[in-house]
């Protein structure tokens, strides 16, 4: 069962999501919060696996809340669910550590599947959002891309390709017969070498530049 907390300053939105997601057999709504500060205060008592996070809220907005929550609980999975599709909001959320970004007009099935995906450690972006992220972090010229790839070891390239396929750290560790700690070390090195801000940017770079 995937434990989910809903964070949104509109009660009607929270209740609608609770009603829709409660019909999913593998998803349990463990609580709700009206802003980022309240969400942080409820973390320890609710112990969610995934948080659906609104963007613009009083007291503490979605980006700031995401950043603070992941400082306290790095393994938390966060999906931004908002009406705002501005590039600034999208990239600030991803840089803060959110694994998903969906618009509130998404079909209930898409939201439910996104919850399942990020629970496994995969990135989940709405259809229009994904295309914009790809265009924003489009690879440099092929010659420059080849030069960057030269700085990666054979193992780092294997890890990077699996990241691009959406594999979580655990999946990568299992497939390569290494520990999750080693995977994290490789990912840190990959981000440094590529100049990527997070694994989402690195994964998108790999999809564009690695066969």
């Amino acid at each position: 069962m995937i434990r989910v907390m809903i964070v949104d300053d509109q009660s009607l939105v929270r209740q609608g999501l609770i009603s829709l997601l409660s019909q999913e057999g593998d998803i349990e709504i463990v609580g709700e919060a009206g802003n980022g500060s309240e969400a942080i205060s409820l973390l320890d008592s609710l112990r969610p696996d995934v948080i659906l996070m609104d963007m613009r809220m009083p007291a503490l907005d979605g980006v700031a809340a995401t950043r603070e929550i992941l400082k306290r609980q790095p393994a938390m999975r966060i999906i931004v669910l908002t009406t705002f599709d501005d590039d600034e909001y999208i990239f600030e959320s991803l840089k803060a550590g959110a694994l998903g970004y969906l618009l509130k007009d998404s079909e209930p099935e898409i939201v439910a599947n996104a919850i399942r995906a990020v629970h496994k450690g995969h990135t989940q972006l709405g259809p229009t959002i994904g295309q914009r992220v790809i265009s924003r972090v489009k690879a440099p010229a092929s010659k420059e891309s080849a030069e960057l790839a030269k700085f990666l070891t054979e193992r780092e390239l294997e890890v990077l390709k699996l990241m691009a396929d959406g594999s979580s750290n655990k999946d990568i560790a299992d497939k390569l017969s290494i520990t999750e700690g080693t995977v994290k070390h490789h990912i840190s090195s990959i981000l440094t070498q590529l100049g990527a801000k997070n694994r989402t940017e690195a994964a998108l770079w790999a999809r564009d530049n690695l066969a």
Side-chain angles (χ1 to χ4, degrees):
M1 189 70 72
I2 305 172
R3 298 168 58 83
V4 176
M5 176 165 68
I6 297 171
V7 185
D8 196 292
D9 62 336
Q10 296 184 30
S11 177
L12 284 176
V13 171
R14 298 198 304 271
Q15 294 309 309
L17 287 169
I18 290 171
S19 176
L20 291 170
L21 294 174
S22 294
Q23 299 177 40
E24 303 292 330
D26 58 341
I27 294 175
E28 177 187 5
I29 307 301
V30 296
E32 56 184 291
N35 59 60
S37 294
E38 186 179 347
I40 291 170
S41 70
L42 292 172
L43 279 179
D44 291 337
S45 60
L46 296 181
R47 295 180 295 107
D49 300 309
V50 176
I51 296 175
L52 289 181
M53 180 77 71
D54 190 18
M55 180 54 62
R56 293 179 63 176
M57 297 178 290
L60 196 65
D61 67 22
V63 171
T66 294
R67 191 177 293 116
E68 182 60 30
I69 286 170
L70 291 175
K71 282 182 182 177
R72 299 177 182 222
Q73 298 189 21
M76 185 64 65
R77 314 299 194 189
I78 298 176
I79 300 173
V80 172
L81 185 63
T82 180
T83 57
F84 300 98
D85 64 350
D86 306 67
D87 284 358
E88 179 182 355
Y89 287 127
I90 295 169
F91 287 95
E92 285 302 311
S93 298
L94 295 177
K95 285 192 289 184
L99 283 182
Y101 197 107
L102 300 176
L103 299 180
K104 286 183 178 177
D105 59 2
S106 300
E107 294 294 328
E109 182 180 359
I110 290 177
V111 178
N113 285 336
I115 290 171
R116 297 181 183 106
V118 301
H119 183 244
K120 295 178 180 178
H122 304 321
T123 300
Q124 192 73 19
L125 303 175
T128 60
I129 304 299
Q131 290 301 317
R132 288 159 66 181
V133 170
I134 289 173
S135 65
R136 177 77 172 264
V137 293
K138 221 31 173 168
S142 57
K143 181 179 179 181
E144 295 175 2
S145 300
E147 289 300 317
L148 281 174
K150 287 180 181 178
F151 288 100
L152 301 177
T153 66
E154 183 177 345
R155 177 64 86 189
E156 287 170 349
L157 285 170
E158 290 177 326
V159 171
L160 182 54
K161 288 177 181 178
L162 289 171
M163 287 169 59
D165 290 337
S167 297
S168 66
N169 288 357
K170 184 178 186 306
D171 293 333
I172 295 172
D174 291 343
K175 290 173 183 176
L176 299 181
S177 298
I178 56 179
T179 67
E180 286 190 62
T182 301
V183 172
K184 291 178 182 178
H185 174 77
H186 286 314
I187 291 175
S188 177
S189 177
I190 289 167
L191 297 184
T192 299
Q193 298 295 344
L194 297 182
K197 297 182 179 66
N198 52 50
R199 64 184 294 149
T200 301
E201 284 194 9
L204 291 170
W205 183 92
R207 290 176 190 176
D208 284 336
N209 293 282
L210 300 180

